Amino acid sequence: MKLVWQNPLTLIGFIIISSILLLAAIAPLIAPYDPNAIDVKAILLGPSQLHLMGTDGLGRDVFSRMLYGARISLMVGFVAVGIATLIGIVLGAIAGFYRGWVDTVIMRTVDVMLSIPTFFLILAVIAFLSPSIWNIMIVIGLTSWMGVTRLVRAEFLSLRNREFVLAAQALGAKDFRLIFGHLLPNSLTPIIVSSILGIASAVLVESGLSFLGLGVQAPQASWGNILTDGKEYIQFAWWLSLFPGLAILLTVLGYNLLGDGLRDAYNPRSNQH
Amino acid sequence: MASYLLKRILWMMPLLLGISLISFFIMHLAPGDITTSEASFNPKASEESRQKLRALYNLDKPVIVQYGLWVKRLAKLDFGTSFASHQRPVFWQTTDKDGNVTLGMIQEALPITLLINVLSLLLIIGIALPLGVISALKQNQWPDRGITMFVFLGFAIPGFWLALMLMYWTGVQHSWLPISGLESMGHENLTWPAQIWDTLQHLVLPVFISAITGLAGISLFVRNGMLDVLHQDYITTARAKGLNENKIIYGHALRNALLPLITIFGLSIPGLIGGSVIAESIFAIPGMGKLFYDAVLMRDFPVIMGILTIGAILTMLGNLLADVSYAWADPRVRRGAM
């Protein structure tokens, strides 16, 4: 564990992510205004002591909306990656443990999924269902499990014939116990690293979708849809575009620094440079 | 070589079938059938035209038969006509009985997206290669740290936000660059060098935005590749026999570090095509991404399905091209795989 914090970048990533998590958690306590309260007397005000990040075209307080938007971004990231990781672990474990034709079928499905431009696929599904936060989390999850599947399978293939696994098998351990008791715990580190990096890209995808108007719908605030308003008013209200963009940038940067740092710390091979 | 190619092309068939299955499944996700959404899109759609649509998509037949027919039409690259754009053919041009040619929507949009992606690949190579090499040669010194920071920022910056900022800064504040479309007003009255110059100016921002994530990724990749290669025995051998350092780096190390790049470019094609949605819809460029985005908003199903399939075919062709070039560039692979 000590090794992890030796890299200052990892520590910075950790601090960024935990601050954003904290702010999102206590959003109702620190938000100065109701994020959806429209105030026609305060339309497009610049940042001031009253409104830290100014107000938007409907007079809503941008700082409060940013805080609640953080909840959305973090939730989408966690749930989408949770879904993807779960699918990836199950499919990757089956493929790597049993091999044979099951492996072939699963890995060819991965190939097919990787051949379809993911962002197109997500947009298409959203078009057929309706854009809502739950649909977005599910769709991002269902279109991003391929990496984890490959990873878990590769880990299982390399662990499958190690002595400790063979020993457990010789002692009569059932498949279920071998997979969940021995193989999976020993593959956890790369799975966690890839999940953290996955959250970063899920946050980017969600904000992109919301920016295009196909993500989180008004009046619910998300960093992406605050930016959409920012695009409308870019000539008069720079604060509407600047803050949500910076927030997305910081969040993704934080997850990437953290994920990369953990990988380097636990994988000495990638650390040799 | 020929048998390898044949094997790869045959392998594309089951892949295509899988893709068609997924596309078909998505088409059937829609609540009701496509004729209901057509009717909601166009309230004047008569019962007769709905029947025609049902027959066109064989919605009156069992699902398995529907799938078979859909695959049969795919095999002929027949993607039907658009709901939203006056029955324009989705993929390729058609000629009516009076000899009037109607251009296909993908036929018009695809070259634009390809042009932008090729230019952004060239930009990526032009910038990321030197950055990666410098970073590797100055490992853990300040140029390396600076470039690493740039890489992390490149990965984290939301492309649409950067696009918005650049649009504001270069277009609105300073009017240095045009910010929308591919042609200025009066483009057709210009001489052809002026036309090309005009279009190039329009391409600067979209190409840069499409390139930014790739820039970060490829710099990192070249850096790590160079570091790996520089630790190999044959580099030590080259140094031991007294070869000059430039020759070692550019003649031996770089060439070997670049090999895997071919595969990376092949793998990045779906990302590039998918990423075109954001850049093209922000800059109002009539390419595949904008076409797809508009089709999604209009629920124009034939166009959606057509672009999904064509996008997947392009991806597979890209991967094939990457594998073949890799084999061509690396004799070890050639002997092993073919």
Side-chain angles (χ1 to χ4, degrees):
Chain A
M1 235 11 223
K2 229 183 192 169
L3 199 64
V4 176
W5 308 120
Q6 271 176 3
N7 184 349
L9 289 179
T10 319
L11 193 62
I12 294 175
F14 178 77
I15 292 172
I16 293 175
I17 295 306
S18 34
S19 325
I20 294 173
L21 276 175
L22 182 72
L23 286 175
I26 60 171
L29 298 178
I30 53 173
Y33 297 85
D34 173 351
N36 299 327
I38 294 170
D39 182 356
V40 284
K41 283 186 273 209
I43 285 173
L44 293 181
L45 296 179
S48 66
Q49 279 188 325
L50 268 177
H51 298 279
L52 282 178
M53 296 183 180
T55 60
D56 68 3
L58 295 172
R60 295 174 296 194
D61 180 54
V62 177
F63 180 60
S64 307
R65 290 183 71 70
M66 290 286 299
L67 286 173
Y68 279 87
R71 298 184 141 198
I72 300 287
S73 289
L74 294 174
M75 184 164 79
V76 170
F78 279 121
V79 177
V81 169
I83 295 173
T85 308
L86 208 65
I87 300 176
I89 287 179
V90 171
L91 291 182
I94 294 175
F97 190 83
Y98 293 105
R99 281 174 278 187
W101 66 268
V102 204
D103 182 23
T104 313
V105 171
I106 292 175
M107 292 330 282
R108 293 299 84 87
T109 314
V110 167
D111 288 345
V112 170
M113 288 294 293
L114 284 174
S115 307
I116 304 179
T118 318
F119 201 68
F120 277 11
L121 197 61
I122 294 175
L123 280 180
V125 177
I126 296 287
F128 290 82
L129 306 169
S130 57
S132 79
I133 179 160
W134 290 104
N135 282 341
I136 287 160
M137 294 191 289
I138 294 170
V139 172
I140 297 180
L142 287 181
T143 49
S144 52
W145 48 270
M146 294 83 78
V148 194
T149 307
R150 282 191 164 171
L151 193 95
V152 174
R153 174 180 176 270
E155 285 291 314
F156 271 44
L157 285 181
S158 85
L159 291 174
R160 184 72 181 83
N161 291 321
R162 296 275 183 86
E163 269 99 10
F164 72 94
V165 180
L166 294 177
Q169 202 168 14
L171 287 171
K174 296 268 183 329
D175 289 357
F176 187 84
R177 197 193 160 95
L178 282 178
I179 292 176
F180 290 98
H182 296 278
L183 290 165
L184 198 55
N186 282 291
S187 328
L188 272 186
T189 314
I191 297 176
I192 292 172
V193 168
S194 98
S195 302
I196 292 177
L197 297 174
I199 295 178
S201 59
V203 169
L204 272 181
V205 171
E206 181 275 322
S207 59
L209 281 174
S210 297
F211 177 72
L212 289 173
L214 292 164
V216 177
Q217 298 293 299
Q220 202 167 25
S222 118
W223 292 341
N225 68 25
I226 301 175
L227 257 172
T228 315
D229 290 352
K231 189 187 171 200
E232 300 289 320
Y233 298 112
I234 192 155
Q235 303 193 41
F236 329 105
W238 53 267
W239 54 91
L240 270 179
S241 324
L242 183 72
F243 296 121
L246 281 180
I248 299 166
L249 177 78
L250 265 181
T251 309
V252 176
L253 185 68
Y255 279 120
N256 281 340
L257 288 175
L258 191 62
D260 252 43
L262 286 181
R263 179 172 50 201
D264 286 351
Y266 284 109
N267 184 0
R269 227 192 85 76
S270 81
N271 208 16
Q272 74 190 6
H273 306 318
Chain B
M1 189 75 187
S3 74
Y4 172 74
L5 257 179
L6 192 71
K7 220 162 74 187
R8 285 300 309 264
I9 291 172
L10 281 180
W11 171 231
M12 283 172 67
M13 298 300 151
L15 267 182
L16 253 182
L17 217 60
I19 288 160
S20 74
L21 202 67
I22 291 175
S23 307
F24 186 78
F25 171 72
I26 291 175
M27 187 152 78
H28 282 252
L29 270 180
D33 63 36
I34 34 183
T35 60
T36 24
S37 61
E38 158 75 333
S40 61
F41 171 71
N42 175 9
K44 280 187 241 153
S46 62
E47 188 50 37
E48 187 198 355
S49 65
R50 278 158 159 249
Q51 286 305 334
K52 250 171 74 185
L53 264 177
R54 281 215 181 86
L56 182 67
Y57 288 94
N58 300 299
L59 294 173
D60 38 1
K61 302 192 177 68
V63 178
I64 185 81
V65 178
Q66 288 184 39
Y67 177 66
L69 290 166
W70 153 253
V71 170
K72 211 167 126 188
R73 290 190 26 216
L74 267 190
K76 291 186 287 185
L77 287 179
D78 172 13
F79 293 100
T81 53
S82 157
F83 287 165
S85 304
H86 309 290
Q87 304 291 315
R88 281 186 61 189
V90 170
F91 179 57
W92 206 251
Q93 63 191 42
T94 50
T95 316
D96 66 8
K97 50 186 184 298
D98 301 328
N100 298 320
V101 175
T102 319
L103 288 181
M105 298 172 89
I106 294 178
Q107 179 188 10
E108 274 192 328
L110 187 57
I112 295 170
T113 301
L114 286 181
L115 175 67
I116 291 178
N117 280 321
V118 167
L119 289 177
S120 83
L121 271 184
L122 290 178
L123 185 70
I124 290 173
I125 296 172
I127 298 179
L129 271 193
L131 282 188
V133 172
I134 293 171
S135 205
L137 294 180
K138 305 271 174 199
Q139 189 190 0
N140 294 334
Q141 298 166 32
W142 68 263
D144 183 29
R145 293 190 194 283
I147 291 167
T148 307
M149 264 332 277
F150 162 78
V151 166
F152 271 112
L153 282 178
F155 275 131
I157 203 159
F160 53 92
W161 181 63
L162 187 64
L164 214 57
M165 293 287 130
L166 287 177
M167 224 166 140
Y168 179 62
W169 185 53
T170 65
V172 180
Q173 267 198 327
H174 296 285
S175 322
W176 288 331
L177 287 169
I179 52 170
S180 126
L182 280 179
E183 296 171 353
S184 308
M185 298 238 293
H187 178 88
E188 56 284 354
N189 301 328
L190 297 170
T191 56
W192 68 265
Q195 281 190 347
I196 291 179
W197 177 239
D198 179 48
T199 303
L200 277 180
Q201 281 184 308
H202 280 83
L203 283 171
V204 173
L205 287 179
V207 166
F208 180 70
I209 293 298
S210 325
I212 187 77
T213 319
L215 265 178
I218 302 293
S219 319
L220 187 67
F221 190 84
V222 173
R223 171 187 186 270
N224 291 345
M226 277 299 276
L227 285 175
D228 268 339
V229 171
L230 285 173
H231 289 117
Q232 299 287 327
D233 290 342
Y234 58 82
I235 298 294
T236 316
T237 311
R239 287 214 171 104
K241 74 177 184 188
L243 218 56
N244 85 18
E245 193 64 19
N246 273 335
K247 218 167 184 172
I248 294 174
I249 287 164
Y250 298 104
H252 293 247
L254 187 59
R255 285 176 64 167
N256 284 294
L258 291 189
L259 268 181
L261 261 191
I262 300 174
T263 313
I264 295 288
F265 280 131
L267 288 176
S268 64
I269 290 175
L272 285 175
I273 299 178
S276 64
V277 175
I278 286 179
E280 287 177 5
S281 56
I282 290 178
F283 294 111
I285 288 170
M288 293 282 274
K290 176 89 166 56
L291 183 63
F292 192 77
Y293 176 63
D294 292 342
V296 163
L297 290 186
M298 300 281 212
R299 297 192 151 215
D300 194 343
F301 298 111
V303 177
I304 296 177
M305 305 320 299
I307 295 182
L308 272 184
T309 316
I310 297 285
I313 293 176
L314 282 179
T315 307
M316 288 191 298
L317 286 178
N319 286 343
L320 178 68
L321 196 67
D323 286 354
V324 171
S325 342
Y326 197 101
W328 170 76
D330 188 344
R332 288 167 302 181
V333 177
R334 207 179 314 156
R335 221 164 287 142
M338 297 188 185

